[in-house]
């Protein structure tokens, strides 16, 4: 078992930086259909394969004419013949090269006999409303740089100029190893002393949102030899290993010790609660993390640590949540030497945002359902009722 040593424990920022600094990885490249590349990161620069448009076109509905025919003003068009003296030119359409100017459809009329009629006061300028070849995208133009996180618009731009497949960084593989003799699979009705293993569902969904792929393993009982075999397998098959459970001081908490035995670098514990008994290791150049078993502690560790590693792998900044000022309706503090990671319930009261911690009496379901904000309270800091703090919104609307 691992005893928590505050003097050797790291802050959250120190823990993340320590793993990043020691992580040895090479980004793999794969090609995926461009329609499936949203949320992926480009592995190389992408340039336009050809000019768009390939030839000039009209930028709005109208007719194409020769500007020279209007050098002395609007001519008599009563005898003009479509295709000879002018041509139809709708938005995005090409037209014969002999014409060099567009007259908008709003300025075009026809008499009862179908003859073209133009206002004598109409001003016609050479080249009006014509998009040149390459005006949309020019051949060789840099569309997106390597390292770009692709959004919906980027897919359309890439597809429009020759990229049927997108070269993207292969997804980071995070192995998830649930441990504990007390755990049973989803779908099993737990008996006395048992809990349903559900963290993999939560964390797998979060990893997918962050761009990583979970490699989920079966539950491993609290048997030292079996745990060692499972950890070695996960290290061989994934880029990052997450061992859930067995990180504290229980009689069967072996996981951090097993990581330490294999590690070139190891640290136990972070100066933050919930989730302080976390094991941090680098094994054969890979991060291996032992996070606490309780659902909220596992979520918090994944949120600040695993997410930070995923973003580091892709070369992306960690997305920052929206911060808003709120009035605190209950005391909130952190004990000396520990940051308090507080889950809050925020609500609008007459146009002022108020927040308070989730009550200690709340069930796990109530906690998860009601918390819609977060505040990291620095070590030793205390807020009183009525104090203001900048809280982070968790993506749900404050009621």
């Amino acid at each position: 078992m691992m005893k928590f040593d505050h003097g050797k424990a790291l802050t959250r920022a120190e823990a993340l930086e320590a793993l990043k600094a020691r992580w040895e990885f090479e980004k793999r490249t794969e090609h995926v259909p461009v329609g499936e590349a949203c949320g992926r990161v480009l592995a190389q620069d992408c340039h336009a394969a050809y000019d768009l448009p390939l030839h000039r076109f009209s930028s709005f509905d109208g007719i194409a004419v020769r500007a020279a025919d209007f050098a002395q003003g609007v001519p008599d068009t009563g005898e003009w013949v479509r295709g000879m003296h002018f041509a139809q030119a709708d938005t995005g359409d090409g037209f014969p090269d002999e014409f060099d100017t567009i007259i908008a459809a709003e300025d075009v009329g026809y008499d009862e006999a179908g003859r073209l009629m133009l206002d004598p006061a109409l001003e016609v300028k050479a080249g009006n409303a014509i998009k040149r070849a390459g005006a949309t995208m020019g051949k060789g133009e840099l569309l997106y740089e390597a390292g770009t996180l692709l959004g919906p618009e980027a897919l359309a731009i890439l597809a429009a100029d020759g990229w049927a497949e997108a070269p993207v960084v292969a997804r980071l593989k995070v192995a998830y190893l649930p441990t504990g003799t007390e755990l049973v699979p989803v779908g099993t009705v737990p008996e006395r002393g048992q809990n349903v293993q559900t963290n993999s569902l939560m964390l797998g969904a979060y990893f997918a949102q962050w761009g990583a792929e979970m490699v989920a393993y079966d539950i491993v009982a609290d048997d030292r030899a079996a745990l060692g075999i499972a950890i070695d397998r996960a290290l061989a098959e994934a880029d990052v290993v997450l061992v859930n459970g067995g990180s504290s001081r229980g009689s069967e908490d072996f996981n951090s010790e097993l990581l330490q035995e294999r590690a070139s670098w190891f640290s136990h514990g972070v100066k933050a609660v919930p989730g302080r008994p976390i094991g941090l290791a680098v094994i054969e150049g890979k991060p291996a993390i032992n996070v606490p078993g309780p659902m909220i502690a596992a979520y918090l560790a994944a949120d600040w640590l695993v997410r930070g590693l995923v973003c580091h792998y892709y070369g992306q900044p960690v997305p920052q949540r929206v911060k808003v000022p709120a009035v605190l309706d209950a005391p909130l503090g952190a004990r000396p030497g520990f940051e308090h990671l507080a889950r809050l319930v925020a609500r609008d009261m007459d146009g002022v945002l108020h927040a308070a911690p989730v009550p200690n009496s709340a069930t796990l379901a109530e906690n998860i359902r009601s918390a819609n904000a977060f505040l990291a309270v620095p070590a030793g800091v205390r807020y009183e009722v009525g104090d203001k703090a900048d809280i982070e919104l968790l993506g749900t609307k404050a009621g």
Side-chain angles (χ1 to χ4, degrees):
M1 71 183 71
M2 284 280 176
K3 182 178 179 180
F4 184 85
D5 186 338
H6 186 275
K8 295 181 180 180
L10 304 177
T11 65
R12 290 192 298 151
E14 290 169 344
L16 176 57
E17 289 305 313
L19 290 177
K20 286 163 53 177
R22 294 168 173 81
W23 187 9
E24 302 170 7
F25 63 83
E26 293 183 4
K27 295 180 182 178
R28 305 176 300 277
T29 299
E30 62 184 12
H31 291 75
V32 301
V34 69
E36 300 174 10
C38 190
R40 303 297 295 271
V41 174
L42 274 183
Q44 67 182 63
D45 293 350
C46 289
H47 296 80
Y50 38 71
D51 283 341
L52 276 182
L54 291 174
H55 302 282
R56 62 180 187 163
F57 69 89
S58 174
S59 61
F60 49 63
D61 294 342
I63 61 172
V65 299
R66 302 180 188 88
D69 292 339
F70 293 80
Q72 305 302 319
V74 177
D76 180 3
T77 60
E79 301 301 323
W80 276 23
V81 177
R82 185 185 297 270
M84 181 182 298
H85 300 94
F86 70 98
Q88 191 68 29
D90 295 329
T91 303
D93 286 352
F95 50 88
D97 291 341
E98 60 192 283
F99 303 113
D100 59 8
T101 300
I102 304 298
I103 298 175
E106 293 81 0
D107 296 322
V108 175
Y110 299 90
D111 65 12
E112 294 180 354
R115 292 174 296 191
L116 178 64
M117 305 298 292
L118 299 175
D119 186 339
L122 180 67
E123 293 186 11
V124 176
K125 296 181 179 179
N128 183 58
I130 292 178
K131 283 278 191 179
R132 62 175 177 79
T136 301
M137 286 178 255
K139 182 178 181 179
E141 176 185 349
L142 177 62
L143 302 178
Y144 293 100
E145 294 181 336
T148 298
L149 180 65
L150 298 175
E153 297 91 344
L155 308 189
I157 293 296
L158 291 173
D161 222 311
W163 293 88
E165 292 188 333
V168 296
V169 178
R171 291 192 187 279
L172 180 71
K173 291 185 177 181
V174 180
Y176 176 77
L177 184 60
T179 71
T181 304
E182 77 282 4
L183 297 180
V184 294
V186 172
T188 303
V189 178
E191 298 180 357
R192 182 172 179 172
Q194 294 181 330
N195 286 310
V196 180
Q197 193 290 108
T198 59
N199 282 352
S200 61
L201 301 179
M202 173 186 67
L203 296 180
Y206 275 120
F207 295 163
Q209 287 181 10
W210 302 337
E213 173 188 346
M214 173 185 277
V215 182
Y217 292 87
D218 293 336
I219 298 166
V220 181
D222 293 317
D223 175 84
R224 191 181 184 91
L227 289 168
I229 292 171
I231 289 172
D232 290 339
R233 177 187 171 195
L235 285 165
E237 296 178 348
D239 303 302
V240 175
V241 174
L242 195 65
V243 183
N244 199 192
S247 64
S248 190
R249 301 176 63 180
S251 61
E252 295 181 331
D253 287 349
F254 306 125
N255 292 326
S256 284
E257 291 181 356
L258 290 167
L259 295 183
Q260 185 178 26
E261 291 172 2
R262 292 160 169 75
S264 59
W265 177 86
F266 179 83
S267 179
H268 184 264
V270 291
K271 298 174 183 178
V273 290
R276 70 172 187 171
I278 186 170
L280 309 165
V282 176
I283 305 172
E284 298 179 357
K286 297 180 179 181
I289 306 162
N290 182 200
V291 300
M295 181 177 181
I296 292 177
Y299 157 74
L300 288 170
D303 183 61
W304 66 261
L305 183 55
V306 180
R307 190 179 197 186
L309 292 175
V310 172
C311 290
H312 176 65
Y313 172 78
Y314 289 117
Q316 300 293 314
V318 177
Q320 299 300 302
R321 297 189 179 100
V322 175
K323 287 188 176 182
V324 294
V327 177
L328 296 178
D329 291 340
L332 187 61
R335 60 181 173 175
F338 285 92
E339 189 180 22
H340 180 194
L341 309 182
R343 290 166 60 81
L344 307 175
V345 180
R347 63 194 187 284
D348 186 279
M349 298 176 60
D350 298 324
V352 177
L353 191 64
H354 288 248
V358 177
N360 290 332
S361 60
T363 65
L364 177 61
E366 288 171 336
N367 188 311
I368 298 299
R369 189 170 59 244
S370 61
N372 59 0
F374 172 81
L375 177 63
V377 183
V381 170
R382 179 176 176 81
Y383 293 97
E384 302 296 345
V385 174
D387 286 348
K388 289 186 177 180
D390 289 334
I391 64 175
E392 300 179 21
L393 298 182
L394 295 179
T396 55
K397 182 179 179 181

